[in-house]
Amino acid sequence: MAKGRSAQEDVQAFFDPAAERLGLPVGVRAMLCAPWRQIQVSLPIRRDNGDIEVFTGYRVQHNAARGPYKGGIRYHPHADEDEVRALATLMSYKTALLDIPFGGAKGGIQVDPAALSQAELNRLTRRYTRSIHHLLGPYRDVPAPDMGTNAQTMAWVMDEYGQLHGANQAVVTGKPVELGGSLGREQATGRGALDVLTEAAPDLGLDLRHARLVVQGFGNVGSWFARLAHGEGARVCAVSDRFGAVCSDGAIDVEALSAYVAATGSVAGFPGAAPCDPDDLYEVECEVFVPAAIENVLTEETARRLRAKVVLECANHPTTPEADMVLNERSIPVLPDVLVNAGGVTVSYFEWTQNLQQLSWTLEEVNQRLRARITEAYRNVRDTARREGLTLREAAFLIGIERVARAAMLRGFV
Ligand code: NAD
């Protein structure tokens, strides 16, 4: 969150100009600005040492005009009501932009998952699921992994939900493949980001085979993006995570780095590149800066220091409205989060579809369908931006908000 302002207010700053341009009635704006439902739950669990500890969890269901609520569950010490609410709002516009038949939601537990054992995480996830199970369901609200959660977490949610309601794989996405997860879901967000970048490259004057990339965050999204981009010939020249950063004048061997992170838990100390300060990443000269970690890393100050030609927003809400203005002034195009990281929810939709039909698609089919859908969304954003004289973010919000507002009006409940 930018200093003194809530995450929700930041999202509002992107919403207001689009609503104005669309001429949305005041009442419709009010409906889109408030989540339809939100819940806070208290989650006592027994720690491995016998102590009882209480965590706080949230689920915010922003809008379901276009279909069941859909959105990740985040485990992070800063996951609070404001952050989860802002992320739920972004999900509504993301699913609409990709034309996926879902609404928007988000969940979170205020916890550092690295501080809990697997057994403790299992108990916490089950307690959370029991506390919100009445709001979930394949046609109600379908969670997925987000920061700090993964396929294992979704398996626990599915199992706990199944014990209460009867087995149903379609209640979560991002599950292990053995339990009905889709092939390609784990890589989907990074792959979708690369699909967008590849499609946008000619418009942005980039040659990806020689492009230098700086990647902030090396978890699910950052590492898959870096590995796939490296495979296409791009040069990953700096990478950071919450523990440290490494950089190279040439190209980092991303496969070796991934193996190192799998063994040690961090990029810090990777012998194949030089250590550097994570804060220096903003000043590494590159073609593409890729925030793939947390919110609000691009502030007015860091945006001025950036030495990139393009920003590819893999993380959710990495750019404050002030930074957005600075980047605009500096003619650094931003490929926005609601488009760039939508590969995850797109393949989640494919997973849900496969579960409902009890069949499975090949990896090639999943990847092809993902590329077709996300590149079409990019072209739609680009064409709207050109036609209306907008930034890519403004255009993406315009399309997403218009679709959600129209669906709400067509349903006739306002
Ligand atoms: P993750 O937990 O797998 O990885 C997060 C990475 O960011 C880790 O490498 C962590 O060390 C690093 N990190 C944390 N704080 C940092 C800091 N201050 N500076 C640098 N690095 C830091 O999470 P993820 O699933 O890869 O999600 C990353 C971002 O992408 C989040 O904003 C998330 O909401 C968004 N996202 C994820 C998905 C998905 O499918 N996983 C889909 C859409 C959007």
Side-chain angles (χ1 to χ4, degrees), residues 8-63:
Q8 188 60 32
E9 282 167 338
D10 276 356
V11 174
Q12 191 75 28
F14 295 129
F15 173 87
D16 286 337
E20 195 62 36
R21 185 172 280 267
L22 290 167
L24 291 185
V26 174
V28 174
R29 288 185 206 196
M31 180 191 65
L32 294 179
C33 289
W36 287 8
R37 185 186 283 128
Q38 65 182 55
I39 185 169
Q40 177 180 324
V41 289
S42 193
L43 307 168
I45 61 153
R46 198 167 286 282
R47 299 294 302 262
D48 291 342
N49 66 5
D51 290 349
I52 291 173
E53 192 167 341
V54 182
F55 297 89
T56 304
Y58 304 90
R59 186 73 182 168
V60 177
Q61 297 178 327
H62 174 257
N63 190 292

Side-chain angles (χ1 to χ4, degrees), residues 74-76 87 91 94 106 145-149 185-186 188-190 216-223 240-244 261 265 267 278 282 291-295 297 314-318 337 341-345:
R74 169 176 289 202
Y75 289 179
H76 193 272
L87 293 168
M91 280 304 294
K94 188 182 300 182
K106 204 79 179 186
D146 190 75
M147 202 154 64
T149 57
R185 172 60 183 89
E186 193 198 322
T189 307
Q216 182 186 56
F218 204 70
N220 171 286
V221 181
S223 67
S240 70
D241 64 17
R242 64 194 278 213
F243 305 107
V261 172
V267 302
Y282 302 105
I294 53 168
E295 290 79 26
V297 290
C314 285
N316 277 312
H317 190 39
D337 53 3
N341 68 30
V345 73

Side-chain angles (χ1 to χ4, degrees), residues 207-229:
D207 179 356
L208 275 195
R209 275 160 311 159
H210 305 291
R212 291 162 299 176
L213 313 178
V214 170
V215 182
Q216 182 186 56
F218 204 70
N220 171 286
V221 181
S223 67
W224 275 113
F225 170 78
R227 288 170 75 173
L228 295 167

Side-chain angles (χ1 to χ4, degrees), residues 78-372:
H78 298 152
D80 61 8
E81 182 193 326
D82 170 57
E83 180 181 284
V84 175
R85 211 174 136 170
L87 293 168
T89 310
L90 288 177
M91 280 304 294
S92 295
Y93 304 133
K94 188 182 300 182
T95 51
L97 178 62
L98 271 286
D99 207 7
I100 290 169
F102 284 126
K106 204 79 179 186
I109 301 179
Q110 223 169 73
V111 59
D112 178 2
L116 266 58
S117 70
Q118 282 298 101
E120 289 167 336
L121 285 170
N122 187 344
R123 289 196 285 277
L124 181 62
T125 303
R126 287 178 188 279
R127 173 70 69 180
Y128 175 68
T129 307
R130 274 203 300 284
S131 302
I132 64 165
H133 73 93
H134 54 295
L135 303 177
L136 304 181
Y139 294 106
R140 287 179 183 274
D141 185 349
V142 185
D146 190 75
M147 202 154 64
T149 57
N150 54 29
Q152 176 62 78
T153 324
M154 293 306 112
W156 293 329
V157 173
M158 184 186 83
D159 185 69
E160 193 64 27
Y161 178 88
Q163 290 184 27
L164 297 163
H165 296 270
N168 200 324
Q169 291 179 328
V171 69
V172 287
T173 58
K175 302 176 287 290
V177 173
E178 297 88 329
L179 296 178
S182 178
L183 293 171
R185 172 60 183 89
E186 193 198 322
Q187 306 94 312
T189 307
R191 182 179 291 282
L194 183 61
D195 287 338
V196 170
L197 184 62
T198 306
E199 187 72 14
D203 299 330
L204 301 170
L206 291 179
D207 179 356
L208 275 195
R209 275 160 311 159
H210 305 291
R212 291 162 299 176
L213 313 178
V214 170
V215 182
Q216 182 186 56
F218 204 70
N220 171 286
V221 181
S223 67
W224 275 113
F225 170 78
R227 288 170 75 173
L228 295 167
H230 178 78
E232 293 298 314
R235 281 201 287 144
V236 176
C237 54
V239 174
S240 70
D241 64 17
R242 64 194 278 213
F243 305 107
V246 290
C247 58
S248 163
D249 289 337
I252 295 174
D253 178 344
V254 184
E255 290 303 328
L257 178 62
S258 295
Y260 179 82
V261 172
T264 67
S266 171
V267 302
F270 175 58
C276 63
D277 186 327
D279 190 58
D280 290 345
L281 252 63
Y282 302 105
E283 287 166 35
V284 175
E285 200 176 330
C286 63
E287 273 66 49
V288 189
F289 181 80
V290 186
I294 53 168
E295 290 79 26
N296 296 307
V297 290
L298 286 171
T299 60
E300 190 173 351
E301 186 257 333
T302 54
R304 289 201 190 285
R305 288 163 55 203
L306 208 64
R307 294 178 69 198
K309 294 197 170 60
V310 173
V311 173
L312 181 77
E313 291 186 340
C314 285
N316 277 312
H317 190 39
T319 309
T320 66
E322 292 80 8
D324 222 33
M325 278 192 268
V326 171
L327 295 170
N328 204 10
E329 255 167 49
R330 295 186 59 204
S331 302
I332 299 176
V334 178
L335 290 156
D337 53 3
V338 284
L339 170 69
V340 169
N341 68 30
V345 73
T346 302
V347 176
S348 275
Y349 160 50
F350 297 162
E351 181 173 325
W352 180 78
T353 305
Q354 292 169 73
N355 292 156
L356 293 180
Q357 298 177 71
Q358 289 293 300
L359 49 75
S360 50
W361 301 350
T362 64
L363 181 61
E364 290 67 33
E365 193 171 357
V366 169
N367 290 345
Q368 261 171 26
R369 286 177 184 257
L370 167 61
R371 188 177 314 117

